[in-house]
Amino acid sequence: MRGAVGPAGAVLLCLALLLCAAPVLPAAEARRSSSPGDGRAHAYGPRERQRLVVHGAGARAPGGRPAVVLLHGGYWYQGRSRGWVPWMRHFVEAGTVVFDVDYRSNAAAAWPAQRNDILRALRWIRARAGRLGVDPERLVLLGSSAGGQVAAAVGTYGAGRERVAGVVALSPPLDPLRTQGELRAAPGVPGREPRLRKTEHLRANAARLAGCPSLRAAPGTRCGRVWRDMAAARHASGADDAPMLLVHARRDFVPFGPSLRLARAQRARGMPADGVTVLTVPGAAHGGVLLRLPRVARAVLDWTAARTRE
């Protein structure tokens, strides 16, 4: 152990201090180069968008350094976002390798292609860990919105704990089939109508992802099986799954009910009570914007440091 806070903790401490000092990054910072580190792009598979960009690799450390594997959001069809560039830069400057991973869109391939892409990317990273200066036992998935759903799906698929040390998901729609229904069932909620428009866009893209236009698929049908497979709680297996930190704003258009169900399912299958932590915060911030909140930054700091410490 290198002390109370390891390299990943130092990364997030830097991030937390940045957030406390300036909740919104200056425009000049956001406009810098899209490459916070070495910025080398690699193909981890033969398909379009099976690409990842490596930042900060190569520097040697005893036993290798921790790494953040970043999965962007964007309704399963958008690509990597420049909005993450400042955060990646700070991760790298504090000594953590960042893998900014793209995956096939819902227009190119139906579920579970996206989960399979990240599984393949993780195999690519682990196979080259020594060359990249990474400790393969200290990989954390950080997913935003749709990327958070994919990250949780990876963490609960088979023995997810053997692949990653943990999963942090910001505003993850962990049960895409039920996301819109939960908001529709809550009339009188402040800001409900704009949120319904966003959930309709989410639902439409989830249906495209599933290849199932109907939301009433019977359990035994192909569509029923796909919708079930997309819900993380359906795969909960307890101690075999990766620990998770799931963060939601209470008035976001993505409800946090599915995250609570995942936590209950994991506890019912023997995972320790702190195996899945669901953090809810006031407001309507969504995805990566949650990292501007000092409380969220501190929670991510503490949680990630505990799981990537040597």
Side-chain angles (χ1 to χ4, degrees), residues 43-116:
Y44 66 84
R47 307 287 186 182
E48 186 178 4
R49 286 183 58 164
Q50 288 180 330
R51 301 290 184 271
L52 58 82
V53 180
V54 186
H55 300 289
R60 298 291 178 177
R65 291 179 293 153
V68 169
V69 181
L70 179 63
L71 308 184
H72 64 78
Y75 299 95
W76 299 283
Y77 72 83
Q78 296 175 8
R80 288 191 295 265
S81 169
R82 286 180 57 86
W84 283 99
V85 169
W87 313 125
M88 290 191 290
R89 180 178 295 112
H90 285 284
F91 285 135
V92 169
E93 288 175 354
T96 290
V97 179
V98 176
F99 297 93
D100 186 11
V101 182
D102 203 358
Y103 48 90
R104 282 175 285 176
S105 71
N106 58 1
W111 186 264
Q114 296 69 28
R115 180 178 63 201
N116 291 342

Side-chain angles (χ1 to χ4, degrees), residues 25-203:
L25 286 168
E29 173 77 0
R31 287 195 299 266
R32 282 196 207 170
S33 165
S34 61
S35 176
D38 43 37
R40 291 190 60 195
H42 303 268
Y44 66 84
R47 307 287 186 182
E48 186 178 4
R49 286 183 58 164
Q50 288 180 330
R51 301 290 184 271
L52 58 82
V53 180
V54 186
H55 300 289
R60 298 291 178 177
R65 291 179 293 153
V68 169
V69 181
L70 179 63
L71 308 184
H72 64 78
Y75 299 95
W76 299 283
Y77 72 83
Q78 296 175 8
R80 288 191 295 265
S81 169
R82 286 180 57 86
W84 283 99
V85 169
W87 313 125
M88 290 191 290
R89 180 178 295 112
H90 285 284
F91 285 135
V92 169
E93 288 175 354
T96 290
V97 179
V98 176
F99 297 93
D100 186 11
V101 182
D102 203 358
Y103 48 90
R104 282 175 285 176
S105 71
N106 58 1
W111 186 264
Q114 296 69 28
R115 180 178 63 201
N116 291 342
D117 281 358
I118 303 309
L119 292 171
R120 184 169 190 158
L122 288 172
R123 290 194 296 270
W124 187 96
I125 293 168
R126 294 178 72 90
R128 294 160 180 79
R131 184 187 318 166
L132 297 169
V134 169
D135 182 350
E137 304 307 314
R138 292 194 288 161
L139 304 177
V140 170
L141 288 175
L142 172 57
S144 172
S145 192
Q149 183 268 333
V150 178
V154 169
T156 56
Y157 187 71
R161 184 181 290 270
E162 294 182 0
R163 299 186 195 95
V164 293
V167 171
V168 177
L170 309 174
S171 310
L174 294 190
D175 191 345
L177 177 62
R178 299 174 68 174
T179 292
Q180 188 179 35
E182 294 195 5
L183 188 55
R184 285 199 179 280
V189 174
R192 178 172 174 267
E193 292 308 315
R195 290 162 66 197
L196 277 173
R197 287 193 290 271
K198 291 181 180 179
T199 58
E200 172 60 25
H201 189 54
L202 179 71
R203 185 214 65 80

Side-chain angles (χ1 to χ4, degrees), residues 211-228:
C212 302
S214 173
L215 297 181
R216 299 182 179 276
T221 64
R222 187 198 72 82
C223 282
R225 290 191 295 270
V226 171
W227 283 119
R228 182 184 177 92

